Amino acid sequence: MNGNLKLAIQKKGRLTEKSLDLLKNCGLEIDSYKERLFVSARNFNVDILFLRDDDIPEYVQDGVADIGIVGGNVIEEKNSEVNRVRNLGFGKCKLMFGIPEEESLENPAELQDKVIATSYPEILNKYLDKNSVSAKIIEISGSVEIAPTLGVADYVCDIVSTGTTLKMNKLKKSLTVLESQAELIANKKLSENLSKINLFNELISRIDSALTAKKSKYLMMNVPGESLDSISKIIPSLKSPTIMPLADQELFAVHAVIPADRFWQIVEDLKANGASGILLLPIENMIV
Ligand code: ATP
Ligand code: ZN
């Protein structure tokens, strides 16, 4: 046992690559892990444990790992006692009801006495309780969608992203039970370990910077002098933009950090106001 912070991530699956990307964006150097159970970062006192995602909440609860990255759906399903520290913005999905194409389900009350197949019995149970309905839950671990065709269930309750799997089984999306994304979780007693909590706080501030950077982009363009005022008003930047004169006396270079999702809303306005040579660059990191 070393004093390193132990971080659990999914060994192989939808969250693995994005979890590792996030850690790399935090400046952690991680050797390729292949079949190993854990690796230590080369330049930060953290050991990364590779586990099945279903095991992560419990391992963090029991302190086998200090912190972990796992989907909110799994956290909810396992009912583990952990601190939910941050939403990480990836691994987004929804737990939804899938129903036969020709049927309709618009209100939770209509679930009364139905038979529902799911891999998420705990979440479904809580949802039914909250809506004061009772239904029969059939727990299936994989390929939940075939249950209605086989005649073992009326509806399914499953993770849906595009709905293609539902469609292949002549089902369609209905009510949403849970919206989920990858989250950073921590052991409840982590704060009692002074050296680990220091490592944790350092990692959290790096994660926050990485998350902010991902939401922002660096906008650059050339603007004629007479348009500087109108362009400055269009740019949705927190701080005022940087304006620099160019060798061409008529033009100025304008730079600003903007929310990434606003770019396409403003680009036509920028052009209409005389901006040219518009560039949008990713930001690797941003200390706020
Ligand atoms: P493991 O072998 O670790 O148990 P798994 O098969 O249970 O893996 P994955 O399919 O890799 O898990 O999904 C991991 C997590 O990714 C899910 O728990 C969920 O939070 C998230 N996720 C995002 N989009 C989807 C999707 N379309 N289908 C399933 N999970 C998704
Ligand atoms: Zn799993």
Side-chain angles (χ1 to χ4, degrees), residues 213 215-221 241-244 254-260 263 278-284 286:
K215 282 192 224 136
S216 307
K217 289 263 161 88
Y218 197 75
L219 175 67
M220 300 165 58
M221 66 199 136
T242 307
I243 298 174
M244 290 160 285
V254 175
H255 295 188
V257 174
I258 62 163
F263 178 69
I278 301 173
L279 289 178
L280 191 68
L281 307 176
I283 297 172
E284 195 156 306
M286 200 161 103

mmCIF file with all atom_site columns, all heavy atoms in Angstrom, residues 213 215-221 241-244 254-260 263 278-284 286:
data_model
loop_
_atom_site.group_PDB
_atom_site.id
_atom_site.type_symbol
_atom_site.label_atom_id
_atom_site.label_alt_id
_atom_site.label_comp_id
_atom_site.label_asym_id
_atom_site.label_entity_id
_atom_site.label_seq_id
_atom_site.pdbx_PDB_ins_code
_atom_site.Cartn_x
_atom_site.Cartn_y
_atom_site.Cartn_z
_atom_site.occupancy
_atom_site.B_iso_or_equiv
_atom_site.pdbx_formal_charge
_atom_site.auth_seq_id
_atom_site.auth_comp_id
_atom_site.auth_asym_id
_atom_site.auth_atom_id
_atom_site.pdbx_PDB_model_num
ATOM 1   N N   . ALA A 1 213 ? -12.292 24.510 -19.959 1.00 0.00 ? 213 ALA A N   1
ATOM 2   C CA  . ALA A 1 213 ? -11.600 24.675 -21.244 1.00 0.00 ? 213 ALA A CA  1
ATOM 3   C C   . ALA A 1 213 ? -12.393 24.007 -22.353 1.00 0.00 ? 213 ALA A C   1
ATOM 4   O O   . ALA A 1 213 ? -12.504 24.535 -23.459 1.00 0.00 ? 213 ALA A O   1
ATOM 5   C CB  . ALA A 1 213 ? -10.196 24.093 -21.159 1.00 0.00 ? 213 ALA A CB  1
ATOM 6   N N   . LYS A 1 215 ? -15.489 23.641 -22.615 1.00 0.00 ? 215 LYS A N   1
ATOM 7   C CA  . LYS A 1 215 ? -16.702 24.385 -22.956 1.00 0.00 ? 215 LYS A CA  1
ATOM 8   C C   . LYS A 1 215 ? -16.388 25.686 -23.671 1.00 0.00 ? 215 LYS A C   1
ATOM 9   O O   . LYS A 1 215 ? -17.287 26.401 -24.090 1.00 0.00 ? 215 LYS A O   1
ATOM 10  C CB  . LYS A 1 215 ? -17.478 24.692 -21.666 1.00 0.00 ? 215 LYS A CB  1
ATOM 11  C CG  . LYS A 1 215 ? -18.242 23.506 -21.141 1.00 0.00 ? 215 LYS A CG  1
ATOM 12  C CD  . LYS A 1 215 ? -19.195 23.971 -20.053 1.00 0.00 ? 215 LYS A CD  1
ATOM 13  C CE  . LYS A 1 215 ? -19.166 23.047 -18.856 1.00 0.00 ? 215 LYS A CE  1
ATOM 14  N NZ  . LYS A 1 215 ? -19.144 23.723 -17.588 1.00 0.00 ? 215 LYS A NZ  1
ATOM 15  N N   . SER A 1 216 ? -15.107 26.048 -23.769 1.00 0.00 ? 216 SER A N   1
ATOM 16  C CA  . SER A 1 216 ? -14.740 27.335 -24.356 1.00 0.00 ? 216 SER A CA  1
ATOM 17  C C   . SER A 1 216 ? -13.891 27.150 -25.609 1.00 0.00 ? 216 SER A C   1
ATOM 18  O O   . SER A 1 216 ? -13.226 26.134 -25.771 1.00 0.00 ? 216 SER A O   1
ATOM 19  C CB  . SER A 1 216 ? -13.942 28.156 -23.348 1.00 0.00 ? 216 SER A CB  1
ATOM 20  O OG  . SER A 1 216 ? -14.626 28.249 -22.134 1.00 0.00 ? 216 SER A OG  1
ATOM 21  N N   . LYS A 1 217 ? -13.944 28.142 -26.472 1.00 0.00 ? 217 LYS A N   1
ATOM 22  C CA  . LYS A 1 217 ? -13.097 28.123 -27.676 1.00 0.00 ? 217 LYS A CA  1
ATOM 23  C C   . LYS A 1 217 ? -12.455 29.494 -27.836 1.00 0.00 ? 217 LYS A C   1
ATOM 24  O O   . LYS A 1 217 ? -12.959 30.499 -27.336 1.00 0.00 ? 217 LYS A O   1
ATOM 25  C CB  . LYS A 1 217 ? -13.950 27.820 -28.917 1.00 0.00 ? 217 LYS A CB  1
ATOM 26  C CG  . LYS A 1 217 ? -14.456 26.380 -28.973 1.00 0.00 ? 217 LYS A CG  1
ATOM 27  C CD  . LYS A 1 217 ? -13.574 25.510 -29.846 1.00 0.00 ? 217 LYS A CD  1
ATOM 28  C CE  . LYS A 1 217 ? -13.732 24.036 -29.603 1.00 0.00 ? 217 LYS A CE  1
ATOM 29  N NZ  . LYS A 1 217 ? -14.745 23.380 -30.344 1.00 0.00 ? 217 LYS A NZ  1
ATOM 30  N N   . TYR A 1 218 ? -11.346 29.504 -28.548 1.00 0.00 ? 218 TYR A N   1
ATOM 31  C CA  . TYR A 1 218 ? -10.632 30.761 -28.781 1.00 0.00 ? 218 TYR A CA  1
ATOM 32  C C   . TYR A 1 218 ? -10.983 31.270 -30.171 1.00 0.00 ? 218 TYR A C   1
ATOM 33  O O   . TYR A 1 218 ? -10.700 30.607 -31.175 1.00 0.00 ? 218 TYR A O   1
ATOM 34  C CB  . TYR A 1 218 ? -9.131  30.525 -28.639 1.00 0.00 ? 218 TYR A CB  1
ATOM 35  C CG  . TYR A 1 218 ? -8.353  31.797 -28.445 1.00 0.00 ? 218 TYR A CG  1
ATOM 36  C CD1 . TYR A 1 218 ? -8.387  32.456 -27.224 1.00 0.00 ? 218 TYR A CD1 1
ATOM 37  C CD2 . TYR A 1 218 ? -7.593  32.332 -29.482 1.00 0.00 ? 218 TYR A CD2 1
ATOM 38  C CE1 . TYR A 1 218 ? -7.674  33.630 -27.037 1.00 0.00 ? 218 TYR A CE1 1
ATOM 39  C CE2 . TYR A 1 218 ? -6.879  33.505 -29.294 1.00 0.00 ? 218 TYR A CE2 1
ATOM 40  C CZ  . TYR A 1 218 ? -6.926  34.154 -28.070 1.00 0.00 ? 218 TYR A CZ  1
ATOM 41  O OH  . TYR A 1 218 ? -6.225  35.312 -27.880 1.00 0.00 ? 218 TYR A OH  1
ATOM 42  N N   . LEU A 1 219 ? -11.636 32.414 -30.211 1.00 0.00 ? 219 LEU A N   1
ATOM 43  C CA  . LEU A 1 219 ? -12.110 32.994 -31.476 1.00 0.00 ? 219 LEU A CA  1
ATOM 44  C C   . LEU A 1 219 ? -11.139 34.081 -31.936 1.00 0.00 ? 219 LEU A C   1
ATOM 45  O O   . LEU A 1 219 ? -10.759 34.953 -31.162 1.00 0.00 ? 219 LEU A O   1
ATOM 46  C CB  . LEU A 1 219 ? -13.502 33.599 -31.242 1.00 0.00 ? 219 LEU A CB  1
ATOM 47  C CG  . LEU A 1 219 ? -14.155 34.368 -32.387 1.00 0.00 ? 219 LEU A CG  1
ATOM 48  C CD1 . LEU A 1 219 ? -14.501 33.442 -33.550 1.00 0.00 ? 219 LEU A CD1 1
ATOM 49  C CD2 . LEU A 1 219 ? -15.414 35.077 -31.897 1.00 0.00 ? 219 LEU A CD2 1
ATOM 50  N N   . MET A 1 220 ? -10.721 33.999 -33.204 1.00 0.00 ? 220 MET A N   1
ATOM 51  C CA  . MET A 1 220 ? -9.840  35.020 -33.776 1.00 0.00 ? 220 MET A CA  1
ATOM 52  C C   . MET A 1 220 ? -10.407 35.483 -35.107 1.00 0.00 ? 220 MET A C   1
ATOM 53  O O   . MET A 1 220 ? -10.938 34.663 -35.862 1.00 0.00 ? 220 MET A O   1
ATOM 54  C CB  . MET A 1 220 ? -8.435  34.432 -34.044 1.00 0.00 ? 220 MET A CB  1
ATOM 55  C CG  . MET A 1 220 ? -7.750  33.920 -32.804 1.00 0.00 ? 220 MET A CG  1
ATOM 56  S SD  . MET A 1 220 ? -6.330  32.869 -33.165 1.00 0.00 ? 220 MET A SD  1
ATOM 57  C CE  . MET A 1 220 ? -5.301  33.926 -34.114 1.00 0.00 ? 220 MET A CE  1
ATOM 58  N N   . MET A 1 221 ? -10.275 36.785 -35.391 1.00 0.00 ? 221 MET A N   1
ATOM 59  C CA  . MET A 1 221 ? -10.737 37.276 -36.706 1.00 0.00 ? 221 MET A CA  1
ATOM 60  C C   . MET A 1 221 ? -10.142 38.643 -36.991 1.00 0.00 ? 221 MET A C   1
ATOM 61  O O   . MET A 1 221 ? -9.592  39.289 -36.095 1.00 0.00 ? 221 MET A O   1
ATOM 62  C CB  . MET A 1 221 ? -12.264 37.358 -36.710 1.00 0.00 ? 221 MET A CB  1
ATOM 63  C CG  . MET A 1 221 ? -12.805 38.399 -35.768 1.00 0.00 ? 221 MET A CG  1
ATOM 64  S SD  . MET A 1 221 ? -14.521 38.069 -35.425 1.00 0.00 ? 221 MET A SD  1
ATOM 65  C CE  . MET A 1 221 ? -14.529 38.318 -33.677 1.00 0.00 ? 221 MET A CE  1
ATOM 66  N N   . PRO A 1 241 ? -12.928 41.649 -25.472 1.00 0.00 ? 241 PRO A N   1
ATOM 67  C CA  . PRO A 1 241 ? -11.992 41.008 -26.388 1.00 0.00 ? 241 PRO A CA  1
ATOM 68  C C   . PRO A 1 241 ? -10.661 41.755 -26.472 1.00 0.00 ? 241 PRO A C   1
ATOM 69  O O   . PRO A 1 241 ? -10.591 42.941 -26.162 1.00 0.00 ? 241 PRO A O   1
ATOM 70  C CB  . PRO A 1 241 ? -12.725 41.040 -27.733 1.00 0.00 ? 241 PRO A CB  1
ATOM 71  C CG  . PRO A 1 241 ? -13.785 42.067 -27.590 1.00 0.00 ? 241 PRO A CG  1
ATOM 72  C CD  . PRO A 1 241 ? -14.111 42.182 -26.140 1.00 0.00 ? 241 PRO A CD  1
ATOM 73  N N   . THR A 1 242 ? -9.622  41.037 -26.900 1.00 0.00 ? 242 THR A N   1
ATOM 74  C CA  . THR A 1 242 ? -8.322  41.664 -27.148 1.00 0.00 ? 242 THR A CA  1
ATOM 75  C C   . THR A 1 242 ? -8.344  42.236 -28.562 1.00 0.00 ? 242 THR A C   1
ATOM 76  O O   . THR A 1 242 ? -8.706  41.527 -29.505 1.00 0.00 ? 242 THR A O   1
ATOM 77  C CB  . THR A 1 242 ? -7.213  40.591 -27.080 1.00 0.00 ? 242 THR A CB  1
ATOM 78  O OG1 . THR A 1 242 ? -7.350  39.917 -25.840 1.00 0.00 ? 242 THR A OG1 1
ATOM 79  C CG2 . THR A 1 242 ? -5.840  41.202 -27.189 1.00 0.00 ? 242 THR A CG2 1
ATOM 80  N N   . ILE A 1 243 ? -7.963  43.501 -28.701 1.00 0.00 ? 243 ILE A N   1
ATOM 81  C CA  . ILE A 1 243 ? -7.970  44.141 -30.033 1.00 0.00 ? 243 ILE A CA  1
ATOM 82  C C   . ILE A 1 243 ? -6.568  44.639 -30.361 1.00 0.00 ? 243 ILE A C   1
ATOM 83  O O   . ILE A 1 243 ? -5.974  45.378 -29.572 1.00 0.00 ? 243 ILE A O   1
ATOM 84  C CB  . ILE A 1 243 ? -8.985  45.305 -30.070 1.00 0.00 ? 243 ILE A CB  1
ATOM 85  C CG1 . ILE A 1 243 ? -10.402 44.751 -29.803 1.00 0.00 ? 243 ILE A CG1 1
ATOM 86  C CG2 . ILE A 1 243 ? -8.926  46.027 -31.419 1.00 0.00 ? 243 ILE A CG2 1
ATOM 87  C CD1 . ILE A 1 243 ? -11.479 45.801 -29.666 1.00 0.00 ? 243 ILE A CD1 1
ATOM 88  N N   . MET A 1 244 ? -6.033  44.194 -31.497 1.00 0.00 ? 244 MET A N   1
ATOM 89  C CA  . MET A 1 244 ? -4.659  44.584 -31.873 1.00 0.00 ? 244 MET A CA  1
ATOM 90  C C   . MET A 1 244 ? -4.638  45.156 -33.286 1.00 0.00 ? 244 MET A C   1
ATOM 91  O O   . MET A 1 244 ? -5.228  44.559 -34.197 1.00 0.00 ? 244 MET A O   1
ATOM 92  C CB  . MET A 1 244 ? -3.745  43.352 -31.836 1.00 0.00 ? 244 MET A CB  1
ATOM 93  C CG  . MET A 1 244 ? -3.487  42.831 -30.427 1.00 0.00 ? 244 MET A CG  1
ATOM 94  S SD  . MET A 1 244 ? -2.930  41.123 -30.462 1.00 0.00 ? 244 MET A SD  1
ATOM 95  C CE  . MET A 1 244 ? -4.453  40.256 -30.834 1.00 0.00 ? 244 MET A CE  1
ATOM 96  N N   . VAL A 1 254 ? -9.011  40.722 -33.706 1.00 0.00 ? 254 VAL A N   1
ATOM 97  C CA  . VAL A 1 254 ? -9.829  40.645 -32.495 1.00 0.00 ? 254 VAL A CA  1
ATOM 98  C C   . VAL A 1 254 ? -9.795  39.202 -31.983 1.00 0.00 ? 254 VAL A C   1
ATOM 99  O O   . VAL A 1 254 ? -10.074 38.266 -32.743 1.00 0.00 ? 254 VAL A O   1
ATOM 100 C CB  . VAL A 1 254 ? -11.293 41.070 -32.796 1.00 0.00 ? 254 VAL A CB  1
ATOM 101 C CG1 . VAL A 1 254 ? -12.171 40.875 -31.572 1.00 0.00 ? 254 VAL A CG1 1
ATOM 102 C CG2 . VAL A 1 254 ? -11.329 42.524 -33.263 1.00 0.00 ? 254 VAL A CG2 1
ATOM 103 N N   . HIS A 1 255 ? -9.429  39.013 -30.715 1.00 0.00 ? 255 HIS A N   1
ATOM 104 C CA  . HIS A 1 255 ? -9.373  37.683 -30.096 1.00 0.00 ? 255 HIS A CA  1
ATOM 105 C C   . HIS A 1 255 ? -10.274 37.646 -28.870 1.00 0.00 ? 255 HIS A C   1
ATOM 106 O O   . HIS A 1 255 ? -10.306 38.605 -28.107 1.00 0.00 ? 255 HIS A O   1
ATOM 107 C CB  . HIS A 1 255 ? -7.946  37.353 -29.618 1.00 0.00 ? 255 HIS A CB  1
ATOM 108 C CG  . HIS A 1 255 ? -6.943  37.238 -30.732 1.00 0.00 ? 255 HIS A CG  1
ATOM 109 N ND1 . HIS A 1 255 ? -5.674  36.792 -30.511 1.00 0.00 ? 255 HIS A ND1 1
ATOM 110 C CD2 . HIS A 1 255 ? -7.036  37.503 -32.059 1.00 0.00 ? 255 HIS A CD2 1
ATOM 111 C CE1 . HIS A 1 255 ? -5.006  36.791 -31.665 1.00 0.00 ? 255 HIS A CE1 1
ATOM 112 N NE2 . HIS A 1 255 ? -5.811  37.221 -32.614 1.00 0.00 ? 255 HIS A NE2 1
ATOM 113 N N   . ALA A 1 256 ? -10.976 36.525 -28.673 1.00 0.00 ? 256 ALA A N   1
ATOM 114 C CA  . ALA A 1 256 ? -11.798 36.393 -27.463 1.00 0.00 ? 256 ALA A CA  1
ATOM 115 C C   . ALA A 1 256 ? -12.040 34.928 -27.145 1.00 0.00 ? 256 ALA A C   1
ATOM 116 O O   . ALA A 1 256 ? -12.046 34.081 -28.039 1.00 0.00 ? 256 ALA A O   1
ATOM 117 C CB  . ALA A 1 256 ? -13.140 37.103 -27.658 1.00 0.00 ? 256 ALA A CB  1
ATOM 118 N N   . VAL A 1 257 ? -12.229 34.619 -25.864 1.00 0.00 ? 257 VAL A N   1
ATOM 119 C CA  . VAL A 1 257 ? -12.645 33.278 -25.443 1.00 0.00 ? 257 VAL A CA  1
ATOM 120 C C   . VAL A 1 257 ? -14.166 33.282 -25.366 1.00 0.00 ? 257 VAL A C   1
ATOM 121 O O   . VAL A 1 257 ? -14.754 34.139 -24.707 1.00 0.00 ? 257 VAL A O   1
ATOM 122 C CB  . VAL A 1 257 ? -12.045 32.930 -24.061 1.00 0.00 ? 257 VAL A CB  1
ATOM 123 C CG1 . VAL A 1 257 ? -12.590 31.591 -23.561 1.00 0.00 ? 257 VAL A CG1 1
ATOM 124 C CG2 . VAL A 1 257 ? -10.517 32.889 -24.145 1.00 0.00 ? 257 VAL A CG2 1
ATOM 125 N N   . ILE A 1 258 ? -14.795 32.337 -26.079 1.00 0.00 ? 258 ILE A N   1
ATOM 126 C CA  . ILE A 1 258 ? -16.268 32.321 -26.089 1.00 0.00 ? 258 ILE A CA  1
ATOM 127 C C   . ILE A 1 258 ? -16.774 30.921 -25.724 1.00 0.00 ? 258 ILE A C   1
ATOM 128 O O   . ILE A 1 258 ? -16.043 29.941 -25.857 1.00 0.00 ? 258 ILE A O   1
ATOM 129 C CB  . ILE A 1 258 ? -16.837 32.702 -27.484 1.00 0.00 ? 258 ILE A CB  1
ATOM 130 C CG1 . ILE A 1 258 ? -16.393 31.679 -28.547 1.00 0.00 ? 258 ILE A CG1 1
ATOM 131 C CG2 . ILE A 1 258 ? -16.410 34.114 -27.880 1.00 0.00 ? 258 ILE A CG2 1
ATOM 132 C CD1 . ILE A 1 258 ? -17.223 31.742 -29.812 1.00 0.00 ? 258 ILE A CD1 1
ATOM 133 N N   . PRO A 1 259 ? -18.035 30.808 -25.276 1.00 0.00 ? 259 PRO A N   1
ATOM 134 C CA  . PRO A 1 259 ? -18.619 29.477 -25.049 1.00 0.00 ? 259 PRO A CA  1
ATOM 135 C C   . PRO A 1 259 ? -18.700 28.747 -26.392 1.00 0.00 ? 259 PRO A C   1
ATOM 136 O O   . PRO A 1 259 ? -19.200 29.305 -27.367 1.00 0.00 ? 259 PRO A O   1
ATOM 137 C CB  . PRO A 1 259 ? -20.023 29.773 -24.515 1.00 0.00 ? 259 PRO A CB  1
ATOM 138 C CG  . PRO A 1 259 ? -20.007 31.211 -24.090 1.00 0.00 ? 259 PRO A CG  1
ATOM 139 C CD  . PRO A 1 259 ? -18.989 31.896 -24.950 1.00 0.00 ? 259 PRO A CD  1
ATOM 140 N N   . ALA A 1 260 ? -18.186 27.503 -26.431 1.00 0.00 ? 260 ALA A N   1
ATOM 141 C CA  . ALA A 1 260 ? -18.081 26.771 -27.690 1.00 0.00 ? 260 ALA A CA  1
ATOM 142 C C   . ALA A 1 260 ? -19.418 26.672 -28.418 1.00 0.00 ? 260 ALA A C   1
ATOM 143 O O   . ALA A 1 260 ? -19.490 26.781 -29.635 1.00 0.00 ? 260 ALA A O   1
ATOM 144 C CB  . ALA A 1 260 ? -17.526 25.378 -27.416 1.00 0.00 ? 260 ALA A CB  1
ATOM 145 N N   . PHE A 1 263 ? -20.777 29.622 -31.034 1.00 0.00 ? 263 PHE A N   1
ATOM 146 C CA  . PHE A 1 263 ? -20.104 30.041 -32.262 1.00 0.00 ? 263 PHE A CA  1
ATOM 147 C C   . PHE A 1 263 ? -21.034 30.104 -33.464 1.00 0.00 ? 263 PHE A C   1
ATOM 148 O O   . PHE A 1 263 ? -21.094 31.108 -34.178 1.00 0.00 ? 263 PHE A O   1
ATOM 149 C CB  . PHE A 1 263 ? -18.919 29.124 -32.560 1.00 0.00 ? 263 PHE A CB  1
ATOM 150 C CG  . PHE A 1 263 ? -18.210 29.464 -33.843 1.00 0.00 ? 263 PHE A CG  1
ATOM 151 C CD1 . PHE A 1 263 ? -17.478 30.637 -33.950 1.00 0.00 ? 263 PHE A CD1 1
ATOM 152 C CD2 . PHE A 1 263 ? -18.288 28.631 -34.955 1.00 0.00 ? 263 PHE A CD2 1
ATOM 153 C CE1 . PHE A 1 263 ? -16.816 30.967 -35.127 1.00 0.00 ? 263 PHE A CE1 1
ATOM 154 C CE2 . PHE A 1 263 ? -17.642 28.955 -36.139 1.00 0.00 ? 263 PHE A CE2 1
ATOM 155 C CZ  . PHE A 1 263 ? -16.911 30.126 -36.229 1.00 0.00 ? 263 PHE A CZ  1
ATOM 156 N N   . ILE A 1 278 ? -12.044 34.365 -40.046 1.00 0.00 ? 278 ILE A N   1
ATOM 157 C CA  . ILE A 1 278 ? -12.515 33.906 -38.730 1.00 0.00 ? 278 ILE A CA  1
ATOM 158 C C   . ILE A 1 278 ? -11.935 32.525 -38.414 1.00 0.00 ? 278 ILE A C   1
ATOM 159 O O   . ILE A 1 278 ? -12.054 31.592 -39.208 1.00 0.00 ? 278 ILE A O   1
ATOM 160 C CB  . ILE A 1 278 ? -14.067 33.839 -38.709 1.00 0.00 ? 278 ILE A CB  1
ATOM 161 C CG1 . ILE A 1 278 ? -14.630 35.232 -39.012 1.00 0.00 ? 278 ILE A CG1 1
ATOM 162 C CG2 . ILE A 1 278 ? -14.570 33.325 -37.370 1.00 0.00 ? 278 ILE A CG2 1
ATOM 163 C CD1 . ILE A 1 278 ? -16.134 35.261 -39.188 1.00 0.00 ? 278 ILE A CD1 1
ATOM 164 N N   . LEU A 1 279 ? -11.290 32.406 -37.251 1.00 0.00 ? 279 LEU A N   1
ATOM 165 C CA  . LEU A 1 279 ? -10.725 31.123 -36.808 1.00 0.00 ? 279 LEU A CA  1
ATOM 166 C C   . LEU A 1 279 ? -11.295 30.779 -35.444 1.00 0.00 ? 279 LEU A C   1
ATOM 167 O O   . LEU A 1 279 ? -11.462 31.650 -34.599 1.00 0.00 ? 279 LEU A O   1
ATOM 168 C CB  . LEU A 1 279 ? -9.200  31.210 -36.659 1.00 0.00 ? 279 LEU A CB  1
ATOM 169 C CG  . LEU A 1 279 ? -8.338  31.323 -37.907 1.00 0.00 ? 279 LEU A CG  1
ATOM 170 C CD1 . LEU A 1 279 ? -6.874  31.435 -37.502 1.00 0.00 ? 279 LEU A CD1 1
ATOM 171 C CD2 . LEU A 1 279 ? -8.552  30.095 -38.791 1.00 0.00 ? 279 LEU A CD2 1
ATOM 172 N N   . LEU A 1 280 ? -11.574 29.486 -35.237 1.00 0.00 ? 280 LEU A N   1
ATOM 173 C CA  . LEU A 1 280 ? -12.041 29.035 -33.926 1.00 0.00 ? 280 LEU A CA  1
ATOM 174 C C   . LEU A 1 280 ? -11.114 27.912 -33.483 1.00 0.00 ? 280 LEU A C   1
ATOM 175 O O   . LEU A 1 280 ? -11.007 26.887 -34.155 1.00 0.00 ? 280 LEU A O   1
ATOM 176 C CB  . LEU A 1 280 ? -13.484 28.531 -34.031 1.00 0.00 ? 280 LEU A CB  1
ATOM 177 C CG  . LEU A 1 280 ? -14.170 28.274 -32.696 1.00 0.00 ? 280 LEU A CG  1
ATOM 178 C CD1 . LEU A 1 280 ? -14.397 29.576 -31.945 1.00 0.00 ? 280 LEU A CD1 1
ATOM 179 C CD2 . LEU A 1 280 ? -15.500 27.557 -32.906 1.00 0.00 ? 280 LEU A CD2 1
ATOM 180 N N   . LEU A 1 281 ? -10.429 28.111 -32.364 1.00 0.00 ? 281 LEU A N   1
ATOM 181 C CA  . LEU A 1 281 ? -9.422  27.144 -31.937 1.00 0.00 ? 281 LEU A CA  1
ATOM 182 C C   . LEU A 1 281 ? -9.809  26.490 -30.617 1.00 0.00 ? 281 LEU A C   1
ATOM 183 O O   . LEU A 1 281 ? -10.385 27.143 -29.743 1.00 0.00 ? 281 LEU A O   1
ATOM 184 C CB  . LEU A 1 281 ? -8.071  27.840 -31.742 1.00 0.00 ? 281 LEU A CB  1
ATOM 185 C CG  . LEU A 1 281 ? -7.542  28.662 -32.909 1.00 0.00 ? 281 LEU A CG  1
ATOM 186 C CD1 . LEU A 1 281 ? -6.253  29.366 -32.514 1.00 0.00 ? 281 LEU A CD1 1
ATOM 187 C CD2 . LEU A 1 281 ? -7.303  27.770 -34.115 1.00 0.00 ? 281 LEU A CD2 1
ATOM 188 N N   . PRO A 1 282 ? -9.477  25.202 -30.457 1.00 0.00 ? 282 PRO A N   1
ATOM 189 C CA  . PRO A 1 282 ? -9.718  24.554 -29.164 1.00 0.00 ? 282 PRO A CA  1
ATOM 190 C C   . PRO A 1 282 ? -8.757  25.113 -28.111 1.00 0.00 ? 282 PRO A C   1
ATOM 191 O O   . PRO A 1 282 ? -7.658  25.563 -28.444 1.00 0.00 ? 282 PRO A O   1
ATOM 192 C CB  . PRO A 1 282 ? -9.421  23.080 -29.432 1.00 0.00 ? 282 PRO A CB  1
ATOM 193 C CG  . PRO A 1 282 ? -8.536  23.069 -30.616 1.00 0.00 ? 282 PRO A CG  1
ATOM 194 C CD  . PRO A 1 282 ? -8.861  24.288 -31.427 1.00 0.00 ? 282 PRO A CD  1
ATOM 195 N N   . ILE A 1 283 ? -9.187  25.084 -26.872 1.00 0.00 ? 283 ILE A N   1
ATOM 196 C CA  . ILE A 1 283 ? -8.323  25.540 -25.775 1.00 0.00 ? 283 ILE A CA  1
ATOM 197 C C   . ILE A 1 283 ? -7.933  24.306 -24.974 1.00 0.00 ? 283 ILE A C   1
ATOM 198 O O   . ILE A 1 283 ? -8.797  23.534 -24.556 1.00 0.00 ? 283 ILE A O   1
ATOM 199 C CB  . ILE A 1 283 ? -9.071  26.534 -24.873 1.00 0.00 ? 283 ILE A CB  1
ATOM 200 C CG1 . ILE A 1 283 ? -9.428  27.780 -25.684 1.00 0.00 ? 283 ILE A CG1 1
ATOM 201 C CG2 . ILE A 1 283 ? -8.249  26.896 -23.648 1.00 0.00 ? 283 ILE A CG2 1
ATOM 202 C CD1 . ILE A 1 283 ? -10.336 28.741 -24.948 1.00 0.00 ? 283 ILE A CD1 1
ATOM 203 N N   . GLU A 1 284 ? -6.648  24.104 -24.795 1.00 0.00 ? 284 GLU A N   1
ATOM 204 C CA  . GLU A 1 284 ? -6.207  22.896 -24.099 1.00 0.00 ? 284 GLU A CA  1
ATOM 205 C C   . GLU A 1 284 ? -6.475  23.000 -22.608 1.00 0.00 ? 284 GLU A C   1
ATOM 206 O O   . GLU A 1 284 ? -6.936  22.062 -21.972 1.00 0.00 ? 284 GLU A O   1
ATOM 207 C CB  . GLU A 1 284 ? -4.725  22.686 -24.357 1.00 0.00 ? 284 GLU A CB  1
ATOM 208 C CG  . GLU A 1 284 ? -4.267  21.301 -23.978 1.00 0.00 ? 284 GLU A CG  1
ATOM 209 C CD  . GLU A 1 284 ? -3.021  20.927 -24.748 1.00 0.00 ? 284 GLU A CD  1
ATOM 210 O OE1 . GLU A 1 284 ? -3.037  21.009 -25.994 1.00 0.00 ? 284 GLU A OE1 1
ATOM 211 O OE2 . GLU A 1 284 ? -2.044  20.590 -24.094 1.00 0.00 ? 284 GLU A OE2 1
ATOM 212 N N   . MET A 1 286 ? -7.378  26.020 -19.209 1.00 0.00 ? 286 MET A N   1
ATOM 213 C CA  . MET A 1 286 ? -7.741  27.385 -18.886 1.00 0.00 ? 286 MET A CA  1
ATOM 214 C C   . MET A 1 286 ? -7.780  27.505 -17.371 1.00 0.00 ? 286 MET A C   1
ATOM 215 O O   . MET A 1 286 ? -8.536  26.805 -16.708 1.00 0.00 ? 286 MET A O   1
ATOM 216 C CB  . MET A 1 286 ? -9.124  27.665 -19.467 1.00 0.00 ? 286 MET A CB  1
ATOM 217 C CG  . MET A 1 286 ? -9.437  29.106 -19.626 1.00 0.00 ? 286 MET A CG  1
ATOM 218 S SD  . MET A 1 286 ? -10.793 29.267 -20.784 1.00 0.00 ? 286 MET A SD  1
ATOM 219 C CE  . MET A 1 286 ? -12.110 29.572 -19.674 1.00 0.00 ? 286 MET A CE  1
#
